[in-house]
Amino acid sequence: MATLLHLDSSAFHEPSVSREVTAAFRRTWESSHPDGTVIYRDLAKDPLPHLDADGIASAFAPADSHTPGQATAAALRAELADELERADAILIGTPMYNFTIPSTLKAWLDQVIIVGRTAGEGGSVAGKPVTVVAARGGGYGPGTPRESFEFVTTYLEKVLTGMLSLDVEFIVPELTLAKTQPQMAELIPAAEASRAEAVQTATQKAKALAERFAA
């Protein structure tokens, strides 16, 4: 049966639009693969260490020459790479924090991108489908005043395709702060419509992927 790797990175659990949408995706996926496997990491609840000198050096040194620190760092990177390689599909939930992704998600990316294994020419995860739910509090779409401030989808598209050669699709619920920011009150209907559309799209994408891997 198929395996889904599911990552959430929002610091909030309730309310969290990115978590709500990834949950809808996962429910649909699991209903189609009741005997399948879901590998789940809550990067906010259980953050990974940032990539350090030991982690970097361990990738360029033979295992039998590793220091204790390098061995520990290499073991973590190998564990994360194994999870990514085992997955048939990947689901990532991320909010926008200060115009970009949470540092917890960046830590996962830095740990799992291993040139010569998962990344680079002939990487072990090339072509895997990844669905990114990228929620943001305001409007950053094409033609909006803050279009140029958007570094979530622009960054993730480059790193996920350029480094890992993954097949990336985005679901982008917007205006998620409308209910809590008085100055955005008039945007609440648009925010609700964006959230509902994101949930529907996530459900449809999960169903299509599930059918693909059931074939």
Side-chain angles (χ1 to χ4, degrees):
M1 297 297 291
T3 296
L4 175 70
L5 173 60
H6 175 189
L7 309 173
D8 278 322
S9 59
S10 173
F12 296 96
H13 286 73
E14 292 292 339
S16 168
V17 174
S18 66
R19 288 179 184 271
E20 178 185 357
V21 177
T22 60
F25 183 108
R26 179 170 169 175
R27 283 194 301 270
T28 301
W29 174 277
E30 289 182 314
S31 69
S32 300
H33 295 292
D35 298 321
T37 300
V38 175
I39 303 168
Y40 181 62
R41 283 190 177 270
D42 186 331
L43 299 174
K45 182 180 179 181
D46 297 302
L48 296 165
H50 290 287
L51 185 62
D52 61 11
D54 282 336
I56 295 170
S58 69
F60 299 97
D64 59 6
S65 70
H66 284 174
T67 66
Q70 289 172 350
T72 298
L76 173 62
R77 300 192 78 188
E79 177 185 356
L80 297 172
D82 286 343
E83 291 176 353
L84 185 57
E85 290 167 345
R86 286 167 52 199
D88 296 290
I90 302 101
L91 172 65
I92 299 174
T94 179
M96 173 189 279
Y97 290 161
N98 300 319
F99 308 128
T100 189
I101 63 173
S103 64
T104 52
L105 179 55
K106 180 62 162 60
W108 178 82
L109 287 165
D110 287 342
Q111 294 283 8
V112 81
I113 294 172
I114 305 172
V115 177
R117 181 171 176 177
T118 58
E121 186 175 356
S124 59
V125 299
K128 289 179 183 285
V130 54
T131 302
V132 178
V133 177
R136 50 208 194 194
Y140 296 82
T144 61
R146 288 203 164 187
E147 178 183 358
S148 64
F149 288 74
E150 202 284 321
F151 299 104
V152 175
T153 62
T154 49
Y155 168 71
L156 288 175
E157 191 275 332
K158 295 296 186 294
V159 74
L160 293 173
T161 62
M163 295 296 293
L164 295 170
S165 299
L166 295 169
D167 181 10
V168 183
E169 292 190 58
F170 290 96
I171 301 172
V172 185
E174 289 198 308
L175 308 172
T176 62
L177 291 176
K179 285 187 176 181
T180 61
Q181 300 298 315
Q183 67 271 29
M184 295 178 67
E186 65 181 19
L187 297 174
I188 290 175
E192 287 298 307
S194 181
R195 182 193 61 78
E197 181 181 0
V199 169
Q200 181 180 27
T201 301
T203 301
Q204 292 170 344
K205 287 185 181 296
K207 184 177 181 181
L209 279 173
E211 290 174 351
R212 169 179 164 184
F213 290 108

